[in-house]
Amino acid sequence: MHSVWISAIVFAGVFGGSLLGLFIRTLLPGHHLSEEARDAVKLGAGLVATLTALVLGLLISSAKSSFDATNTMLMQSGANILMMDRVLANYGPETQEVRGLLKSLLSSRLEKVWPEKSAAIKKISGADASAKTADLEGIQRALRNLVPKSDLQRSFQAQALEISNDLAQLRWLLFEQVQTSLPPMFVGVLIFWLAVLFACFGLLTPSNGTVIAVFLVCAISVSGAVFLILEMEKPFKGVMKTSSAPMIKTLESLGK
């Protein structure tokens, strides 16, 4: 909802600025719209347009990179979880309880992030797995409590602990990743630039239905771009939430 409101403010600023420019044009004396004055306005509008285009382009690129990085970390987490499950399976039947905790941990995390998939997640995890409670620290404690009976089991235990440490690091990286957001002052300055830019366009353009329709489409396009930027900054919320398919596939593969 946060991104919807900000996008609506951007739309109001852009479209309102263009209408304000059209209105001011009707009030100005003729000599204020001379060729020299129009050239000066065009130069100023060109400068603001260049700044705005650069900022919007950089914001979209940065937001897309952040969104892709989150997806990559999710897929890496899924791969690490599958790897840990296979390592524990090779360790022996003593790890059956730890594997159950791992499946319970993944299913509970999936239900928190994708509550709309709760029914499918519970069906995959099963009643027993979903009834248990687990956290990564508890799984690590269970791994340390294992008593290897051979060098091979000792190697599997060390490998499982190393993977669990990688999972913990990825979890905190994901946590930090989703906390980033655009500073309000930055958004305010961007809206101001857009409003000034379209006010200049309105000042240079005669008022008619076609011009107003073009300004309306431009306002929708710019506010849509800001909406995409804000949505990609929150990959676990909103309309552009990351896909749950890779992690659900991981859950299906656990314990086999």
Side-chain angles (χ1 to χ4, degrees):
M1 202 60 187
H2 174 71
S3 56
V4 174
W5 281 111
I6 292 181
S7 301
I9 294 172
V10 171
F11 173 83
V14 171
F15 193 57
S18 60
L19 294 180
L20 179 63
L22 291 173
F23 176 72
I24 293 176
R25 177 186 173 89
T26 63
L27 301 179
L28 290 177
H31 65 276
H32 283 268
L33 299 175
S34 63
E35 285 299 321
E36 292 81 3
R38 292 169 66 89
D39 289 342
V41 173
K42 287 178 182 178
L43 285 173
L47 175 61
V48 176
T50 302
L51 289 172
T52 305
L54 285 173
V55 170
L56 280 176
L58 288 173
L59 286 177
I60 291 174
S61 176
S62 176
K64 184 63 168 63
S65 298
S66 176
F67 189 83
D68 290 341
T70 300
N71 278 328
T72 299
M73 284 189 281
L74 277 178
M75 289 187 287
Q76 187 175 348
S77 296
N80 285 347
I81 290 172
L82 281 175
M83 179 66 71
M84 182 188 290
D85 184 68
R86 298 317 307 157
V87 168
L88 293 174
N90 290 327
Y91 183 98
E94 302 93 328
T95 60
Q96 194 63 37
E97 182 179 355
V98 183
R99 295 176 70 192
L101 291 175
L102 184 63
K103 189 171 186 178
S104 172
L105 172 64
L106 180 58
S107 62
S108 63
R109 294 285 172 82
L110 291 182
E111 286 186 46
K112 288 180 180 178
V113 179
W114 294 281
E116 68 277 6
K117 303 284 186 179
S118 180
I121 293 169
K122 288 180 179 178
K123 183 178 179 181
I124 295 170
S125 61
D128 293 339
S130 62
K132 298 175 183 177
T133 59
D135 54 33
L136 191 55
E137 289 76 12
I139 291 174
Q140 289 179 319
R141 285 194 297 270
L143 289 173
R144 295 188 187 97
N145 290 334
L146 291 174
V147 182
K149 299 177 182 178
S150 65
D151 290 340
L152 184 61
Q153 285 190 334
R154 191 172 294 107
S155 173
F156 284 140
Q157 182 189 33
Q159 189 176 355
L161 283 170
E162 182 179 356
I163 296 172
S164 70
N165 289 330
D166 292 339
L167 282 172
Q169 184 178 16
L170 281 172
R171 181 186 66 177
W172 288 112
L173 283 173
L174 279 171
F175 176 80
E176 294 295 333
Q177 184 85 9
V178 299
Q179 299 304 311
T180 58
S181 61
L182 284 177
M185 182 62 71
F186 191 90
V187 177
V189 171
L190 180 61
I191 294 172
F192 174 74
W193 285 352
L194 289 168
V196 169
L197 177 62
F198 278 84
C200 292
F201 291 160
L203 194 63
L204 298 173
T205 310
S207 178
N208 57 57
T210 301
V211 170
I212 293 175
V214 169
F215 284 153
L216 178 62
V217 173
C218 290
I220 294 173
S221 300
V222 173
S223 60
V226 174
F227 178 78
L228 289 177
I229 292 169
L230 296 172
E231 283 292 303
M232 284 190 291
E233 281 192 333
K234 304 295 181 184
F236 298 130
K237 298 178 182 179
V239 179
M240 295 186 64
K241 183 185 288 189
T242 54
S243 173
S244 61
M247 299 305 292
I248 289 180
K249 191 67 177 178
T250 299
L251 183 64
E252 290 176 346
S253 302
L254 291 182
K256 296 182 179 179

